[in-house]
Amino acid sequence: MKASQFFVSTLKEAPADAEVVSHRLMMRAGMIKRLGAGIYNYMPMGLRVIRKVEAIVREEMNRAGAVELLMPVVQPAELWQETGRFDKMGPELMRVKDRHERDFIIQPTSEEVVTDIARQELRSYRALPKNFYHIQTKFRDERRPRFGVMRGREFTMKDAYSFDRDRDGAARSYQAMFEAYKRIFDRFGLQYRAVAADTGAIGGDLSHEFQVIAETGEDAIVYCPTSDYAANIELAEALAPAEPRAAATQPMVLAPTPGRSTCADVAELLGLPLQRTVKSLVLATDERNDAGDIVGTTVWLLLVRGDHELNEVKAGKLPGFAAGWRFATVAEIEEHFGCKPGYLGPVAMPKPVQVIADRSVAAMSDFVCGANQPDAHLTGVNWGRDLPEPALVADIRNVLPGDPSPDGAGVLAIQRGIEVGHVFYLGTKYSAAMNASFLDENGKPRLMEMGCYGIGVTRVVAAAIEQNHDERGIVWPVAIAPFAVVLCPIGYDRSEAVRREADRLHDALAARGIDVLLDDRGERPGVMFADWELIGVPLRIVLSDRGLKEGQLELQGRRDAEATRVPLDEVEATVQARLAS
Amino acid sequence: MKASQFFVSTLKEAPADAEVVSHRLMMRAGMIKRLGAGIYNYMPMGLRVIRKVEAIVREEMNRAGAVELLMPVVQPAELWQETGRFDKMGPELMRVKDRHERDFIIQPTSEEVVTDIARQELRSYRALPKNFYHIQTKFRDERRPRFGVMRGREFTMKDAYSFDRDRDGAARSYQAMFEAYKRIFDRFGLQYRAVAADTGAIGGDLSHEFQVIAETGEDAIVYCPTSDYAANIELAEALAPAEPRAAATQPMVLAPTPGRSTCADVAELLGLPLQRTVKSLVLATDERNDAGDIVGTTVWLLLVRGDHELNEVKAGKLPGFAAGWRFATVAEIEEHFGCKPGYLGPVAMPKPVQVIADRSVAAMSDFVCGANQPDAHLTGVNWGRDLPEPALVADIRNVLPGDPSPDGAGVLAIQRGIEVGHVFYLGTKYSAAMNASFLDENGKPRLMEMGCYGIGVTRVVAAAIEQNHDERGIVWPVAIAPFAVVLCPIGYDRSEAVRREADRLHDALAARGIDVLLDDRGERPGVMFADWELIGVPLRIVLSDRGLKEGQLELQGRRDAEATRVPLDEVEATVQARLAS
C-alpha cells in the first residue's frame, strides 16, 4: 500500500490528558482520536493493529473448536432481569429506553444473551459441548474513564462462552481455552503470564488471567522464576514459615512509644527489625436480617507481621467473612480495645475479640505489638505465655519477593502486569438463574455447566505498547504491527531510479505476502523517519540515489542502533528472514 | 470444516411473525435468532454470509482508495446538536444519557463524527480528496420493525464519506464510488440495477440507489430494456407526448354522473376509455412567518390523466412547493370549487385556483373532467376554448410501462427492487453546519464538498434471499454462500471407505481454497439433503458405499433437477469448474 492511499497523521505532542505512555503514543501515532470521555475513533493506523489482533484471536478460537456468532449491542432488559444483573449492576451498565419506553442495555458482556441462545438451541446432551464466541463492541460507563483505550467506555472485546454436560466437561472446555489463549498470546509476540486468579463468589479453582508484562501495569503478578507457578497477588499463597516457632527468650515488657503509631516508627524507636513487630488490624462483619437491616456486628483482630500487608481478598475468604467485611470504626475500636488505633494489640484486650493471626505471626516469638494503652507497646511478647494461642491461623497477607513458592520449586518474584484476558469457570451461575437445561442420556433435565473467556482486543493494543516502546515511539511485534515494513524512498518525486526501485520492491514484497507500506508522501527524510519510528513499524528500508548507484539499500530494524547496507538482489530474502526471526 | 465443529440448526416451520420469504428462510436456516423486536442474533450460519458480504465490500472500497477506520457506536450528542439533527430527528434516533446525565446517541449513521474528524485532520488542500469508511453496527429505533433483518432496528452498515476540494472533485469521488459499487454488486452475483434517485432537499443530480431486483421489493424501478436508463420511479421523467394536441372535435357538454366520483367509474358510465378522463387533485401550500405560524395558504389544482398517478416527489419540486405541501382539506375544496370532492374540474372554478397540468393532460383534447357540480362531469372539454391554458405544464406523474424512455432509446419497463445501497452527493450540507473547512492553494479557508455512500450489509443478505430462493429454501450465489460445497457422506459413522474418502475430499477441496463443509452429524440422508437445500449451499456432493464401489460420487448444483455422477478422480476439477461458472 502507498501512504498517499492510506492515512498517516502524527502529532509532535500528545494532548495533556494522556497520562500513560500507550495513550500518548496512540494519540501521537494517529491510531486513535478522542470523540468523548473514554470514547475513541479508531483511526486507520490503529484499526490495522486491532484487525491483526482480531484475526489471530479468531483463528485460534476456531482452531480450538469455538464457533463465531454475533450478538447485538443493544439488548432487551428482560434477560438481564432474569439474572438480576439489570438491578444489581451499578451505573457502569448503560441503560436506555426505546421509543415505546421499553428498557434496554448497551452490552458490557453477553452472558445473558448467550445463555438464552443455549437454552433454546442446545436442548440435548448430543448438542454439548459447545462454545460460542463473538468479537463485538462493548460499553461500560466507567465512572472515571482514563488511560486511552486501556480503560475506555466503548471498547472491542472477544467473549466466548462454553456449555458442557458436567463439571468434567467444563474443565476440558476450560483447558482448551487456556491452551488457545497461550497460542494467541504467543502469536501476538508479547511477554505475558497466565496467572491463577481469584474466582470471587463463584468458587472453584478455575480462573486464570492473562497478563501482559509491563512496568506500568496495575496488577501485581507473583511467579516463580524456576517453575511454572504464577498467580495474581490476590490469590498467591504465602506459605507458613518452614522453621517452627522459636522458644521465648525475653520477658514481656511495656515500652513507652509516644507518638509512634506505625510498626516502622516503633521498630526504629526500639532499634529492632521491622520483622519483629506485629500489625493489628481491626475488621468488622455485620449480620443482617432478611430486610437487610444490621442485627449484629462481630469485631475481629487480624495480625500480620510489621513488614507484611493484609491481603483483602484472602480476608474475604475467612470463616464468617463470606457476606462481606469492613474495617471497624474508631468507635468500635475504642469500645473493644479501650484505646485509639496505633497502639492496639492482642494482649489483655478489655473485651473479647476473635484473633486471627497470619501464618508468619503465629510462628513469631519475642515479638512487639501494641499495648492497648495510648503511646505504649509491648516487647518480648510470646504466644501461649503472654496471651492465648490465636483462635485461627490463616494466610491473610500478600506474598513478598523472596517468599518460598507454594509449589516448593524456588522463591517468588513479583512483576507488574496488565490484564488483557481472563478465562473463568462459571459453573451453573447463569444456567441456574435462566434455567438453561438440557436433557441428559436418561432424558432428565440438567443445568449446563458454563465457562466464559474474554480478551480485551483494544486493551491488548495498549498493553503491547506499554510493554514495547522507547523514547522515539512504539516498537511493535511483527505479528500485530500496522505494517511489517515501511519503504522510505528519498526523492520519490524527483528521482526516476528511486521511484522505479521503490515501486518494484513494494510489489515484490507484497507478492511475498509481506505487509509493506511505501511512503510516497514526499516528506523530508527526517520527518519520514521520525514518523515511522513513532508509529513503530518493525523494519524500515531507505532507498536513495546514492545507495542505488552502489546497488544497495539501507535496512534498519526498529530496535537496531544502526542501519545495515543490503545489496539490492538480497533485499527480499533478507526482509523475509528478518521478519521471521 | 466439519459440521460437528460448527453449528447447524434448522427449523421445519418459520415463526408466525415472519412475513416475508427472506425472514422465514433466514429463521428456518438458522441464520438469525430473534432477541427482541427488530434485534437479532446473527447465528454462525448467518454470520458467515455477512462476513463474505463484508469482505467483498472491504476489498472493493480499498481498491477504490477509500480508507477504513472505525467510529464509535455511542456518540456524544454535542456533534449532533451542531447539525441540528439531535433535535430534528424523530424517535428513530435512539438517545441515551450516561451516568453524568450527559446526552449521547446510538449511531444510525456517522456524518457528524466523520465531519468532525475531517475538520481536524484534513486541514489543507493537500490532504484532499479523502474517503473514510467503516463497517459498523447501526441502530434505528423503527416505529414498526419488521421483515427480519430487512427492516430491523440493529443492523450492520458500511458507510463511506468523501471529502473534496470542490464540486468537480466531489463528482470524481462520487463516480469512483459508483464504479466500486458496481464491482461489489457484480461480485455478490446478484441481479441489480443502479438507478438514479431523488436528491431530496440537497439538490443536485448526483444520487443513485443500488437496487437488488426482487418481485417482493418495496421500490418500483423504472428502466429501459434497450438502453442504460434506470431510475427510481420517484425520479423517472415522463416525457411530454410526442404528438401535438389534436384539434377540438366535440362541444363541451354537461353529463350527469350520479354517484360516479372516480375517473374509472365515469369512463365506464360514459363508455369512454380511461385515458380520455382527467383527474383533479387539490393541493395546498401554507405560508408561515418566522415563528412558524401559518399566515397564508395557496390552493392548487393538479391535473393528471385518469389512468395516471400523481408523483408526490415531483409535486414537491414544483415552484412554490419547496417548503412542503399537503392535500387540501374538504373545507378548502368546497370553498374554492363550491362542490364536494369527486366532481371537481378546472372549468369555471368559483374562486381563482392555480392550475398545474401534467404534460399528458396539456396535450389532451375533447377530455372529460368534473363539472364543479355534484354528480356531474363535463365531456368534450378543450384547452383554450372552454378554459384558459394551464398556468403551468409540468411532469407530475409516475411513468407507466410502455412510456417512452427519457433517453429516447426505447420504451420503459418497471421492476420491483430492494434498496441495499445508496451513493449520494452531499455538497456542503454538513461541512457548512460544522464549519469543516480546509486551506486552499491560496491559503483561504473553503468548505469541503462531501459525498456519502452506504451499503446495508445485513440487508444485502435478506435481499439476496428474496431474489434467490425456491420452495425448498435459499439458493445462494457462490460468492456469498455460507459454504460453497457441502459433502454429504451416507454412513460416515459406519463405513470406513465413506469416511476415508469424505475426509480426503474435504481436505483436497479445502487445500484448493474452496469453502467446504463436511456433514458428519450422522443425520439420515433425507434430513441432511433437506437441511442443505434449505440453507442453500450451491454444490452438494453425496458419497455412498455403492457409489464408491463404482468409483463415483454424486454432484448436484442447488438449481439442478438431478444429480450428476462424477468419477472420483475428476471431482475436484469438476467442482472447481462448476463454482467458477
Side-chain angles (χ1 to χ4, degrees), chain A residues 1 3-7 9 33-37 39-45 47 50-51 58 62 65-76 79 90-92 94-100 102 104 106 113 116-117 120-122 127 130 132-133 135-137 139 141-145 153-154 156, chain B residues 1 3-7 9 33-37 39-45 47 50-51 58 62 65-76 79 90-92 94-100 102 104 106 113 116-117 120-122 127 130 132-133 135-137 139 141-145 153-154 156:
Chain A
M1 185 180 288
S4 58
Q5 291 164 345
F6 188 61
F7 185 71
S9 174
K33 194 167 185 62
R34 186 179 185 279
L35 181 60
I39 302 178
Y40 292 87
N41 294 298
Y42 303 129
M43 298 299 285
M45 194 69 77
L47 186 60
I50 291 171
R51 293 285 190 236
R58 184 172 280 122
N62 292 347
V67 185
E68 188 174 6
L69 43 63
L70 195 66
M71 293 177 277
V73 172
V74 178
Q75 303 183 345
L79 294 177
E92 71 273 15
M94 201 175 213
R95 295 157 175 93
V96 53
K97 285 180 190 291
D98 76 356
R99 65 194 295 154
H100 304 297
R102 290 195 203 99
F104 289 80
I106 313 296
V113 171
D116 181 54
I117 290 172
Q120 294 177 64
E121 292 284 345
L122 310 176
K130 193 57 72 181
F132 289 122
Y133 78 98
I135 300 177
Q136 175 69 304
T137 302
F139 199 92
D141 197 0
E142 297 272 354
R143 193 175 59 80
R144 199 186 147 211
R153 294 203 283 181
E154 185 166 321
T156 303
Chain B
M1 186 180 286
S4 57
Q5 291 163 345
F6 188 62
F7 185 71
S9 174
K33 193 162 187 68
R34 185 180 185 279
L35 181 60
I39 301 179
Y40 293 87
N41 294 299
Y42 302 130
M43 297 299 285
M45 193 69 76
L47 185 61
I50 291 170
R51 294 284 189 238
R58 184 172 282 123
N62 293 348
V67 185
E68 187 173 7
L69 44 63
L70 195 65
M71 293 177 277
V73 171
V74 178
Q75 304 183 345
L79 294 176
E92 71 274 14
M94 200 174 212
R95 294 159 174 92
V96 54
K97 284 182 191 292
D98 76 356
R99 64 194 297 154
H100 305 296
R102 291 196 203 97
F104 289 79
I106 312 296
V113 171
D116 180 55
I117 291 173
Q120 295 177 65
E121 293 284 344
L122 310 175
K130 193 57 72 183
F132 289 122
Y133 77 97
I135 301 176
Q136 175 68 305
T137 302
F139 200 93
D141 197 1
E142 297 272 353
R143 192 177 57 81
R144 200 189 145 208
R153 295 202 283 179
E154 183 166 322
T156 303

Side-chain angles (χ1 to χ4, degrees), chain A residues 31 105 146 298 319 436 526 555:
Chain A
M31 293 183 62
I105 61 98
R146 57 196 158 136
T298 308
L555 181 71

Side-chain angles (χ1 to χ4, degrees), chain A residues 76 158 220:
Chain A
K158 185 283 296 174

